[in-house]
């Protein structure tokens, strides 16, 4: 029965009561009305609960992440609700729990939480890998499939060894710590580079840290992981924990190294600065260089656990490190350096597209030359902002194309990515920083010829006038970066 019909019957009933002359008849009619309204309320509740349960089954079957309606958190619901909001995830809430703002999620036990022989050997494998022969120890994380560890990730790994041939790189990843993962890394191992994928032991990494209880709550389902992929937030935490336990350099897998990190110590980079004050406005956690047991790392871990929000992108990553540094700056006992954007983030994510495009005229060619000159001379590396650039093609003679061809070690794979059909043959690049020959790649993505290379011995073939002209051509584009060049603060 609809609400309108119910109201009509109530009104009609009131009229009948008012018209009844006998008190006995009035009492009987009033009792009937009360019984009728109570029965309607019970039927409505049962129907609503049935509809919710049906919606739950449909949601799980469809494996959808969308709510069918939004509810005010201040409203107390009269019945229990069970709503599926994520794949393999159940949210249970009743009126009392929703009123108090408490939600309990039951999570499946994914591989990343599993303890086995590999996780038990984690600490020993780390100590055995990072021996005295390591020039620097690097870490990356990979919480995805081994199949998805593609050419861009390999290029990032290669760039580490181009600038640090005696460095050691450990990839924290269960999926890469497998026969398939070993096949991906084998070409580097065959050339003598020290790279290894190791399955992390989360309980060990987080033991006796402020995030130990947080991890237990997430694993048991007591903590709401939010709508952001849990793997992303676990990566944010894992990089902090592994540097706190062992020290070293953490790099995202979409970061191309162009210069040595040997002189860096306890360093974090600014992503953006205020155009007027030149003070940093946001830091980023894609590159971290810290000693073992550094107090700032412990503060990061504490902030992650105490303010965790799985529904806001960046809240537990770049925004988290920014919040902590803003609070601790100037406090004695914290010794770290903030480098300007030019160091690690020389190109903003909004402008990253241009670096993938081949020059179409002489003016753009001069800009490419000037940009490469700037990046090779003033940056430690370039963050590719993979979320924005992962579908872009690396076009020949582009800034990124030239950059990776100069900083690769398995250079035959540099342009395995699909190239533009309009791409022209690659011009001979000239560099004054590296002594190895530069391998040329043709428009089909293969080496032009094993014998075709341009050996150079640290010679810059440009005249001063040519260099000034090239830099002037790019002045409008890189002026903001130049302004940030000397803006940094030591603590």
């Amino acid at each position: 029965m609809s609400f309108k019909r119910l109201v009509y019957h109530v009104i009609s009933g009131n009229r009948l009561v008012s018209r009844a002359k006998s008190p006995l008849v009035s009492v009987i009619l009033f009792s009937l009305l009360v019984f009728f309204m109570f029965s309607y309320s019970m039927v409505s509740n049962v129907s609503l609960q049935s509809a919710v349960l049906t919606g739950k089954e449909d949601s799980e079957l469809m494996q959808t992440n969308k709510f069918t309606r939004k509810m005010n958190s201040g409203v107390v619901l009269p019945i229990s609700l069970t709503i599926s909001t994520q794949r393999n995830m159940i949210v249970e809430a009743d009126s009392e729990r929703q009123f108090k703002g408490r939600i309990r999620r039951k999570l499946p036990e994914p591989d990343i939480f599993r303890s086995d022989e590999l996780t038990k050997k984690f600490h020993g494998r780390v100590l055995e890998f990072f021996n005295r022969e390591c020039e620097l120890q690097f870490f990356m994380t990979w919480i995805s499939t081994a199949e998805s560890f593609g050419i861009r990730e390999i290029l990032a790994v290669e760039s580490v060894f181009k600038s640090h041939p005696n460095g050691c790189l450990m990839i924290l990843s269960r999926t890469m710590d497998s026969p398939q993962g070993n096949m991906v890394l084998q070409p580097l191992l065959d050339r003598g580079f020290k790279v290894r994928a190791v399955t992390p032991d989360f309980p060990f990494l987080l033991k006796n840290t402020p995030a130990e209880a947080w991890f237990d709550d997430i694993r048991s389902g007591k903590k709401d992981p939010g709508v952001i992929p849990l793997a992303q937030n676990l990566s944010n935490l894992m990089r902090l924990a592994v540097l706190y336990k062992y020290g070293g350099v953490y790099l995202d897998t979409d970061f191309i190294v162009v210069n040595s990190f040997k002189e860096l110590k306890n360093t974090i980079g600014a992503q953006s600065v205020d155009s007027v004050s030149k003070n940093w406005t946001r830091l980023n956690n894609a590159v971290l260089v810290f000693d073992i047991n550094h107090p700032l790392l412990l503060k990061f871990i504490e902030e992650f656990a105490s303010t965790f929000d799985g529904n806001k992108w960046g809240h537990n990553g770049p925004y988290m490190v920014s919040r902590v540094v803003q609070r601790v700056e100037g406090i004695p006992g914290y010794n770290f350096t903030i480098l300007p954007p030019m160091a690690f983030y020389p190109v903003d994510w909004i402008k990253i597209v241009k670096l993938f495009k081949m020059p179409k005229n002489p003016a753009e060619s001069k800009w490419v030359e000037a940009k490469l000159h700037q990046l090779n001379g003033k940056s430690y590396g370039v963050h590719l902002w993979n979320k924005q650039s992962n579908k872009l093609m690396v076009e020949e003679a582009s800034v990124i194309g030239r950059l990776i061809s100069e900083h690769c070690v398995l250079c035959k794979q540099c342009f395995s990515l699909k190239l533009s059909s309009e791409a022209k043959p690659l011009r001979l690049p000239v560099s004054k920083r590296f002594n190895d020959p530069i391998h040329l790649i043709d428009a089909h993505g293969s080496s032009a010829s094993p014998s075709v290379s341009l050996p150079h011995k640290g010679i810059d073939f440009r005249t001063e006038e040519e260099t000034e002209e090239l830099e002037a051509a790019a002045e409008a584009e890189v002026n903001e970066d130049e302004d940030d060049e000397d803006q940094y603060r030591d603590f």
Side-chain angles (χ1 to χ4, degrees), residues 309-329:
D309 189 336
N311 298 311
K312 296 179 181 178
W313 186 91
H315 177 82
N316 312 300
Y319 292 108
M320 182 272 293
V321 295
S322 300
R323 292 194 305 269
V324 172
V325 171
Q326 188 175 30
R327 287 201 302 265
V328 304
E329 57 184 356

Side-chain angles (χ1 to χ4, degrees), residues 10 22-23 31 39 177 179 199 236 242 311 353 361 390 444 476:
V10 172
S22 172
S31 301
S39 300
D177 188 10
T199 301
N236 285 327
V242 75
N311 298 311
V353 175
N361 53 57
N390 61 356
H444 301 289

Side-chain angles (χ1 to χ4, degrees), residues 128-343:
E128 183 241 340
F129 181 68
F130 290 124
N131 51 44
R132 295 180 181 178
E133 297 179 2
C134 294
E135 178 184 36
L136 281 176
Q137 53 189 48
F138 292 86
F139 292 96
M140 291 180 176
T141 64
W142 188 253
I143 310 181
S144 188
T145 63
E147 294 88 346
S148 59
F149 198 91
I151 184 63
R152 291 203 181 185
E153 289 73 32
I154 287 295
L155 288 170
V157 172
E158 289 185 43
S159 70
V160 170
F161 294 115
K162 181 68 177 185
S163 296
H164 312 85
N166 295 316
C168 299
L169 169 62
M170 177 169 287
I171 302 173
L172 302 178
S173 171
R174 176 180 287 276
T175 57
M176 289 295 290
D177 188 10
S178 65
Q180 185 170 2
N182 290 337
M183 288 179 61
V184 174
L185 301 176
Q186 194 61 48
L188 291 164
L189 294 171
D190 291 342
R191 286 161 176 78
F193 296 114
K194 299 170 185 174
V195 56
R196 177 180 295 179
V198 175
T199 301
D201 184 350
F202 269 97
F204 172 79
L205 284 173
L206 300 178
K207 188 174 180 60
N208 298 324
T209 73
E212 184 177 10
W214 174 89
F215 181 75
D216 290 340
D217 288 344
I218 284 287
R219 187 166 53 173
S220 64
K222 296 179 181 178
K223 187 75 175 178
D224 178 10
V227 298
I228 303 295
L230 181 59
Q232 179 178 316
N233 283 316
L234 287 174
S235 175
N236 285 327
L237 179 58
M238 183 158 52
R239 70 190 67 179
L240 303 174
V242 75
L243 290 183
Y244 186 70
K245 291 284 187 183
Y246 302 106
V249 180
Y250 168 81
L251 300 174
D252 269 2
T253 53
D254 59 347
F255 186 85
I256 304 297
V257 177
V258 299
N259 279 304
S260 174
F261 279 56
K262 287 173 66 174
E263 297 180 358
L264 296 181
K265 186 179 179 66
N266 300 324
T267 300
I268 191 171
Q271 177 182 328
S272 59
V273 295
D274 184 83
S275 59
V276 177
S277 67
K278 302 303 178 185
N279 292 328
W280 64 268
T281 56
R282 185 186 302 174
L283 306 181
N284 201 294
N285 63 337
V287 180
L288 300 169
V289 185
F290 282 97
D291 293 338
I292 186 173
N293 295 329
H294 195 279
L296 184 61
L297 292 173
L298 192 62
K299 279 291 183 183
F300 287 157
I301 296 172
E302 180 182 4
E303 179 76 6
F304 180 99
S306 62
T307 67
F308 177 81
D309 189 336
N311 298 311
K312 296 179 181 178
W313 186 91
H315 177 82
N316 312 300
Y319 292 108
M320 182 272 293
V321 295
S322 300
R323 292 194 305 269
V324 172
V325 171
Q326 188 175 30
R327 287 201 302 265
V328 304
E329 57 184 356
I331 297 179
Y334 295 92
N335 178 30
F336 62 95
T337 299
I338 301 175
L339 292 182
M342 180 58 67

